[in-house]
Amino acid sequence: MIREVIYDYDKQLEYINLSREIMDIRKRGEKPLAFIHTYGCQQNVADGERIKGMLEQMGFDFTDTVDDADFILFNTCAVREHAEDRVFGNVGALKTLKRRHPSILIALCGCMMEQEHIANKIYKSFPFVGLVFGTHAIHKFPDMFYHSITGGKRVFERGNDDLAVHEGIPVKRDGSFKAWLSIMYGCDNFCSYCIVPYTRGRERSRRFEDIVAEAKELVANGYKEITLLGQNVNSYGKGLEEKHTFAELIKEIDNIEGDFLIRFMTSHPKDCSKELIDVIAQSKHISKHLHLPFQSGSDRILKEMNRRYDREKYLDIVNYAKEKIEDVSLTSDIIVGFPGETEEDFEQTISLVKEVGFTSLFTFIYSKRVGTPAAEMEDPTTDEEKSRRFTRLLKVQEEIASQRCASMVDSIQRVLVESMNEKKGMLSGRTSGNIIVEFDGSEDLIGSFANVKITKARNWILQGELAQ
Ligand code: SAH
Ligand code: SF4
Ligand code: F3S
């Protein structure tokens, strides 16, 4: 299958310049201001950073409140119902602001907007929303923006150029020492519960050399943590003219000179290779952490979910990782209450959690997504029963996580210092295994690596002191 890489951002520069001139007149304050709120996963955050890059070229500054903004954008997530409800609530609340200041442009983008029934609902129920675009249309944001503020019509754009990767879009990164680096877009897996393949389209990889060049630039600019992003990073390279695997890509990035940490997400167990685990084990910069979502411990449910691995295969990779990567930190995603999950299936999930010993878990109650195969499945389990299973899972994991953290007391961990917790007056950072550590120290350390001796474990948070 052809995956087209397009380097045509120059075409947008004309719209950037035209929008800049118009915003200079339309702005309410001294400079045009944009309010951007992103929901959902890191892919959405990375998209938000590209939209901010384009807005910056249009002369925008950014604000944390909607009240003084000239442009308001919600970058939405469709993965669970709860995420969608919050968006509707927040957008509805903007009606009076728009009435008071008609020049404001209110826009919605992201995964929710790629769903036809949602775009239709926005069109009918939220007439004050002037621009709606999906994840496939980001590369022509300046064009859409310009037409929204000049055309006198609402602009609705849902893309279908599934095969293209657009390079050259500017990025305004939120952080100065942590960076997201997308290596691929979309997903071809069609897990039966999941909306992502419908909202982000077919899987397509960026070129090897484009990714490596961006990683080098990040390291040269002082970034200390680079997280490689994709829905299934282990299938990186499919459809590229020149064949490359994810293991080769991460190895190449590991070879860049400098003091930095590489993270990556998400790994799909069906494609996670032993070659990748060997690369991590021998690397200089790759975190000793594997986020490997298993979703359910029951083979029957895994089949219904269309995950294409079973418990045995999952444990095989996990055990290989434990054997090869010293003190590896394992994390996972789990769905509780998938349609037809019985008590017995759920017990299989609990037993897998106990067997592996995860550092932490992201646990979700199944949420029905319109248009996915699971939405058509019989789901006789009550919400109360699902909540009970969910709480039980949290309890089991709490104990495992606190034991795991307690076992780290007296060890020395290399920590990337991230922030100052003002309330506690303590620095906060993360270990290579992605566990939070709090310790006393000067704010100057933020954005650098520090060696910390672990002195105490409180549930899943570590406390420590600076070591020499
Ligand atoms: N591509 C990644 C996950 C992306 S979505 C992977 O396959 O691992 C992040 C997590 O949200 C998933 O791992 C899953 O646990 C959860 N999720 C996805 N769809 C869901 C749904 N319909 N209901 C509840 N949780 C869901
Ligand atoms: Fe969704 Fe499955 Fe793709 Fe992950 S791999 S994004 S869970 S379809
Ligand atoms: Fe949500 Fe889209 Fe990410 S649905 S989880 S923002 S890929």
Side-chain angles (χ1 to χ4, degrees):
M1 214 182 294
I2 308 154
R3 298 284 186 259
E4 208 183 342
V5 182
I6 304 175
Y7 300 83
D8 69 348
Y9 184 67
D10 288 356
K11 278 196 198 150
Q12 297 297 320
L13 291 178
E14 191 187 334
Y15 293 114
I16 296 255
N17 290 332
L18 290 168
S19 302
R20 180 192 274 271
E21 281 168 25
I22 293 168
M23 286 315 301
D24 208 33
I25 302 163
R26 249 174 103 120
K27 68 187 178 207
R28 292 195 285 147
E30 290 203 345
K31 275 196 99 179
L33 288 178
F35 169 91
I36 316 288
H37 188 83
T38 294
Y39 300 85
C41 67
Q42 282 75 12
Q43 331 261 335
N44 246 21
V45 174
D47 284 350
E49 291 184 339
R50 291 196 294 162
I51 296 168
K52 282 187 194 167
M54 294 185 260
L55 284 165
E56 197 171 47
Q57 286 188 334
M58 291 177 190
F60 274 92
D61 258 357
F62 299 92
T63 169
D64 293 336
T65 62
V66 288
D67 299 329
D68 51 356
D70 299 289
F71 177 55
I72 299 173
L73 175 69
F74 289 106
N75 184 12
T76 64
C77 168
V79 83
R80 281 169 293 274
E81 196 176 355
H82 177 66
E84 294 194 341
D85 290 346
R86 276 177 27 217
V87 170
F88 286 126
N90 285 340
V91 175
L94 296 177
K95 194 174 169 180
T96 41
L97 188 71
K98 174 75 180 173
R99 198 177 292 145
R100 257 187 288 134
H101 305 287
S103 71
I104 299 174
L105 175 61
I106 299 175
L108 289 165
C109 69
C111 286
M112 267 172 87
M113 301 307 130
E114 287 291 347
Q115 296 172 278
E116 198 175 353
H117 71 282
I118 300 276
N120 288 343
K121 178 169 172 175
I122 302 287
Y123 195 81
K124 284 200 200 100
S125 312
F126 299 89
F128 51 91
V129 172
L131 168 62
V132 165
F133 59 100
T135 57
H136 295 284
I138 288 174
H139 60 281
K140 44 187 179 190
F141 171 70
D143 177 343
M144 296 180 298
F145 181 91
Y146 172 74
H147 285 101
S148 312
I149 53 175
T150 57
K153 273 201 294 200
R154 303 165 77 194
V155 173
F156 276 60
E157 183 90 34
R158 288 193 304 120
N160 48 20
D161 59 349
D162 264 348
L163 296 178
V165 166
H166 292 270
E167 292 291 347
I169 302 173
V171 181
K172 180 176 162 43
R173 298 191 192 275
D174 292 337
S176 57
F177 57 90
K178 284 171 70 155
W180 310 113
L181 175 47
S182 296
I183 64 165
M184 59 208 292
Y185 306 101
C187 181
D188 282 351
N189 290 317
F190 291 95
C191 301
S192 64
Y193 50 82
C194 184
I195 197 73
V196 173
Y198 307 90
T199 63
R200 292 206 165 247
R202 297 292 58 73
E203 183 182 295
R204 55 232 183 260
S205 295
R206 291 179 68 195
R207 279 196 186 136
F208 191 86
E209 51 279 18
D210 286 335
I211 301 168
V212 174
E214 192 171 339
K216 281 187 179 155
E217 194 185 310
L218 288 169
V219 174
N221 287 334
Y223 280 88
K224 296 290 179 223
E225 182 183 289
I226 300 174
T227 304
L228 309 179
L229 294 181
Q231 292 297 352
N232 177 10
V233 291
N234 300 102
S235 72
Y236 171 78
K238 247 185 1 190
L240 282 178
E241 265 168 51
E242 230 181 280
K243 289 282 160 252
H244 287 289
T245 63
F246 179 60
E248 281 166 23
L249 175 69
I250 201 164
K251 198 169 173 182
E252 186 74 14
I253 297 174
D254 186 51
N255 283 335
I256 299 171
E257 292 285 322
D259 189 19
F260 66 101
L261 185 70
I262 307 167
R263 297 191 187 279
F264 58 96
M265 63 194 298
T266 298
S267 288
H268 193 304
K270 84 176 163 65
D271 297 312
C272 188
S273 67
K274 291 193 171 162
E275 183 196 359
L276 172 67
I277 290 170
D278 293 338
V279 169
I280 300 174
Q282 287 149 25
S283 72
K284 291 187 289 280
H285 301 111
I286 308 174
S287 63
K288 307 296 180 241
H289 171 209
L290 195 57
H291 180 62
L292 200 60
F294 72 84
Q295 314 297 359
S296 168
S298 152
D299 283 346
R300 194 182 71 81
I301 295 292
L302 285 173
K303 216 175 202 142
E304 294 284 304
M305 287 176 161
N306 190 31
R307 289 289 287 179
R308 283 173 280 174
Y309 55 85
D310 57 15
R311 189 185 169 97
E312 192 185 331
K313 159 120 203 251
Y314 186 83
L315 285 170
D316 184 44
I317 310 166
V318 159
N319 289 333
Y320 189 75
K322 281 181 177 173
E323 185 192 315
K324 295 280 167 167
I325 308 170
E326 201 194 331
D327 207 20
V328 65
S329 167
L330 294 155
T331 58
S332 194
D333 294 351
I334 299 177
I335 296 177
V336 171
F338 181 81
E341 181 192 73
T342 61
E343 189 62 28
E344 206 181 315
D345 293 319
F346 174 67
E347 283 306 326
Q348 295 280 312
T349 295
I350 295 281
S351 87
L352 191 62
V353 166
K354 286 183 177 164
E355 187 165 347
V356 176
F358 293 98
T359 312
S360 63
L361 290 176
F362 296 91
T363 45
F364 310 102
I365 292 188
Y366 168 75
S367 172
K368 187 172 174 170
R369 304 288 65 212
V370 175
T372 61
E376 308 300 321
M377 295 177 188
E378 292 277 320
D379 190 5
T381 314
T382 61
D383 289 351
E384 291 73 33
E385 176 55 25
K386 290 186 183 188
S387 300
R388 191 199 59 77
R389 289 180 193 168
F390 186 76
T391 314
R392 163 118 197 275
L393 175 61
L394 293 189
K395 268 231 164 79
V396 168
Q397 175 55 23
E398 222 174 87
E399 189 147 319
I400 294 169
S402 57
Q403 273 170 17
R404 156 119 188 126
C405 284
S407 76
M408 292 173 76
V409 170
D410 288 338
S411 69
I412 293 190
Q413 301 287 326
R414 190 155 186 266
V415 169
L416 176 59
V417 187
E418 291 185 352
S419 57
M420 171 65 86
N421 182 327
E422 298 292 346
K423 256 198 222 144
K424 294 183 186 167
M426 284 176 118
L427 291 171
S428 172
R430 280 170 195 270
T431 66
S432 169
N434 213 22
I435 304 171
I436 297 174
V437 185
E438 293 174 341
F439 55 100
D440 279 327
S442 140
E443 269 187 85
D444 302 348
L445 289 174
I446 295 174
S448 63
F449 290 101
N451 287 328
V452 178
K453 180 167 184 201
I454 307 304
T455 52
K456 210 169 144 186
R458 278 185 307 110
N459 299 331
W460 51 89
I461 295 184
L462 300 169
Q463 275 184 4
E465 55 196 33
L466 278 170
Q468 290 319 310

